[in-house]
Amino acid sequence: MSSTTLWYLSRSSGIVATVLAVLALIWGLLFSSRETGNRLRPAWWLDLHNWLGGLTLAFTIVHVITIFADSDAAIGVAQVFIPGTASRSTWAVTWGVLAMYLFAIVTLTSVGRVKRKLPRRVWHWIHLSSVGAVVITGLHAYQVGTDRDAVVFKAGLVVFAGAAMYPAAIRVIGLMTRK
Amino acid sequence: MAFMTSPQPIDPLIADRLARLQQRNAPRTAQNTTSVAAGARTRTTPAKSRRRHAARKSRVAALLLSCTTTGGLTALLSYVNHADASASQASAPVNTVKAIGSGVSTTAATVNPQVPATAATTTGSSAANTAGGVAASGSTAAAVGSASAGGTFTGDVVPNRYGNVQVQISVVNGTITASTAVQAPTSDRRSVSINNRAVPSLNTETTQAQSAKIQAISGATYTSNGYEQSLQSAIDQAVTAGALAG
Ligand code: HEM
């Protein structure tokens, strides 16, 4: 596969991973605030939320592998795993590395067997870190992406951030009024 | 106290559910009993307890949609990149050159990537005058300067499949004090991205090495090779003019 094709693939998989992460977040927030309506069972929302989370990690892996394989990207093993080691766009790539770790931890701790071993509170805090992961993913994409100057790309970021705000607000208001 | 020992009347609905639960668990219980009875050497295949996914169809849809979107976006990005490249190649031969790595943007003559290097003409070299001796670009690269004062020397235009590379050096008292790419491939976003990274490094390497013996930047082979060739021709001019020692 040519270096240019890898470059296109890394960008598209990065964009898809970001969209999936936002969707997983929205599904999770709607589920936990019990705003899932009557048409579909809560189990459906939870199942799809889990699946979207898993897909986010899968597409992140594709993104990272293609970036790594693209010789022109100057991203090696150290740059993938150690934050702050990229020679170019150091901070921007660091956000990506941190987001990758957070997505991996959140997904792996949600696997039934692991989840059962963790105290509920600990699991919940770990799971909440996915909100931070989505935010730094947006930052990463905006700072390092080739497409960051494209109007469609910027509009997409704004639309997805806005879409996530609605369930987030419902969840927060729900928590505040529960007492 | 007979009422305490007699079984409670069970709701028929619950009784039905209990019966179904027992039925469902029956094969598993039977299997456990037989495997224990048969000993450790007998291999038993446990009943496959496949968990039903509540959103099975939506899962498949999400997976297919994600893969299709990735493929579609890849194709779209490739199309956009090629469209960018065609548009920039069709542009007029005289335009604005960004002197990469120096942060200076000068209006000077550039060479259409389609035009062979030898056919390049030097036009609109207003920058040459205003910059106080900056040579006009083009394949017939000019040198401005003298042996004593040094000067600015612009190397040959070196074309490659992505565009042209042309280097300009400043010489003061027999030392290369600055090196800049007055042209580097900008035909598409990828080239711009690669060269933004590679050219500053090549500029620094040149002033450190004080020669054209510089290391190629990994991932920017075409630009590095073109840079080295153009740099060598600029140095040759400086040597001919007596600004640099041979
Ligand atoms: C080790 C972790 C990561 C590394 C080293 C990394 C590296 C990179 C690099 C070098 C680029 C620039 C590609 C280019 O446009 O030329 C990029 C872009 C991008 N990355 Fe990452 N990334 C990582 C993790 C992530 C994660 C976890 C996500 C999302 C879930 C993500 C989403 C994106 C997006 C959306 C872009 C912009 C693509 C575009 O502009 O077309 N990245 N990443």
Side-chain angles (χ1 to χ4, degrees):
Chain A
M1 198 181 282
S2 82
S3 167
T4 317
T5 310
L6 285 169
W7 181 54
Y8 299 136
L9 204 55
S10 70
R11 285 157 66 195
S12 51
S13 55
I15 292 171
V16 170
T18 308
V19 171
L20 286 165
V22 177
L23 289 179
L25 186 70
I26 293 176
W27 250 246
L29 287 168
L30 287 175
F31 175 79
S32 58
S33 52
R34 292 166 183 76
E35 285 292 333
T36 49
N38 296 327
R39 231 172 64 80
L40 293 156
R41 287 181 300 142
W44 180 86
W45 288 85
L46 182 62
D47 191 31
L48 197 54
H49 163 69
N50 289 342
W51 182 244
L52 290 171
L55 279 183
T56 302
L57 189 61
F59 277 83
T60 297
I61 291 169
V62 173
H63 173 65
V64 174
I65 288 176
T66 45
I67 288 268
F68 174 75
D70 175 3
S71 57
D72 286 342
I75 297 285
V77 179
Q79 285 74 31
V80 167
F81 292 106
I82 308 168
T85 46
S87 57
R88 190 167 58 116
S89 309
T90 311
W91 273 105
V93 175
T94 298
W95 299 133
V97 176
L98 293 179
M100 177 189 72
Y101 278 128
L102 286 176
F103 284 133
I105 292 168
V106 168
T107 310
L108 296 178
T109 52
S110 296
V111 173
R113 245 173 280 163
V114 183
K115 187 181 171 185
R116 275 192 291 276
K117 282 184 187 147
L118 287 171
R120 172 92 200 150
R121 242 169 183 276
V122 173
W123 177 83
H124 194 227
W125 278 109
I126 291 173
H127 213 70
L128 274 184
S129 69
S130 57
V131 178
V134 171
V135 172
I136 59 174
T137 295
L139 209 60
H140 163 74
Y142 188 72
Q143 287 185 337
V144 77
T146 305
D147 296 310
R148 66 186 171 185
D149 294 328
V151 180
V152 183
F153 187 79
K154 282 184 197 162
L157 275 183
V158 172
V159 166
F160 274 96
M165 281 302 160
Y166 170 71
I170 291 180
R171 177 79 175 116
V172 172
I173 292 168
L175 282 176
M176 279 161 46
T177 53
R178 197 186 278 175
K179 287 164 192 163
Chain B
M1 303 295 249
F3 72 93
M4 283 187 83
T5 47
S6 70
Q8 293 276 320
I10 302 178
D11 182 332
L13 207 69
I14 294 179
D16 182 43
R17 278 198 183 167
L18 278 174
R20 263 191 288 155
L21 196 69
Q22 233 166 10
Q23 219 170 28
R24 210 190 304 163
N25 286 340
R28 220 182 297 169
T29 323
Q31 207 166 50
N32 284 348
T33 330
T34 41
S35 66
V36 169
R41 261 192 283 163
T42 321
R43 292 181 90 206
T44 52
T45 40
K48 269 196 178 162
S49 58
R50 278 197 58 158
R51 213 155 35 104
R52 278 264 310 146
H53 295 296
R56 206 156 54 95
K57 279 184 193 159
S58 308
R59 276 172 172 240
V60 176
L63 178 63
L64 289 178
L65 207 65
S66 304
C67 291
T68 319
T69 309
T70 308
L73 265 177
T74 306
L76 183 75
L77 292 173
S78 155
Y79 171 78
V80 169
N81 205 44
H82 285 118
D84 275 3
S86 320
S88 80
Q89 278 181 2
S91 66
V94 176
N95 57 15
T96 299
V97 180
K98 178 126 174 110
I100 299 163
S102 69
V104 182
S105 189
T106 55
T107 306
T110 61
V111 185
N112 187 328
Q114 299 297 310
V115 179
T118 46
T121 49
T122 307
T123 49
S125 56
S126 59
N129 306 325
T130 50
V134 174
S137 55
S139 67
T140 49
V144 176
S146 68
S148 54
T152 310
F153 303 89
T154 308
D156 289 344
V157 173
V158 180
N160 66 48
R161 61 192 258 208
Y162 298 112
N164 296 329
V165 182
Q166 189 178 30
V167 177
Q168 189 175 74
I169 55 169
S170 297
V171 180
V172 177
N173 295 330
T175 308
I176 301 172
T177 54
S179 178
T180 321
V182 286
Q183 279 195 74
T186 53
S187 59
D188 55 42
R189 290 184 211 176
R190 179 167 179 74
S191 300
V192 172
S193 158
I194 291 172
N195 291 319
N196 280 345
R197 172 172 56 89
V199 172
S201 305
L202 292 165
N203 292 344
T204 315
E205 273 190 52
T206 306
T207 48
Q208 281 169 358
Q210 290 294 314
S211 73
K213 290 194 184 76
I214 50 171
Q215 290 246 309
I217 305 294
S218 92
T221 319
Y222 285 92
T223 299
S224 301
N225 290 345
Y227 191 102
E228 203 181 315
Q229 280 180 47
S230 183
L231 173 63
Q232 187 57 62
S233 72
I235 290 174
D236 289 347
Q237 286 171 39
V239 171
T240 310
L244 277 177

